[in-house]
Amino acid sequence: MAKPIKITPVLKGQDAVNFHRNLKTSDAVKVSKEVLVAIRKDADKLKSLFKHRK
């Protein structure tokens, strides 16, 4: 039997400020096209491996 999921605590005070600051900075960071191409190439390799195993 699975354990019940605990309720996520509410961020208060400095934790909330830090969370929002980190959220804004992470939204501003963009992934380069080279990284995206590499990720897509690796994903295609994985897809081809799983297609042949059926």
Side-chain angles (χ1 to χ4, degrees):
M1 189 168 162
K3 294 182 179 180
I5 299 172
K6 295 181 181 178
I7 296 173
T8 304
V10 177
L11 294 176
K12 297 179 183 177
Q14 191 61 37
D15 288 335
V17 172
N18 291 338
F19 175 79
H20 282 286
R21 185 181 314 126
N22 291 338
L23 187 64
K24 286 180 186 178
T25 57
S26 67
D27 283 343
V29 175
K30 300 291 181 184
V31 178
S32 68
K33 292 195 181 236
E34 294 84 16
V35 173
L36 287 176
V37 168
I39 290 172
R40 288 188 180 125
K41 186 188 291 186
D42 291 342
D44 289 339
K45 286 180 186 177
L46 284 173
K47 286 179 186 177
S48 68
L49 287 174
F50 288 114
K51 284 181 184 177
H52 295 297
R53 291 189 177 208
K54 286 184 178 182

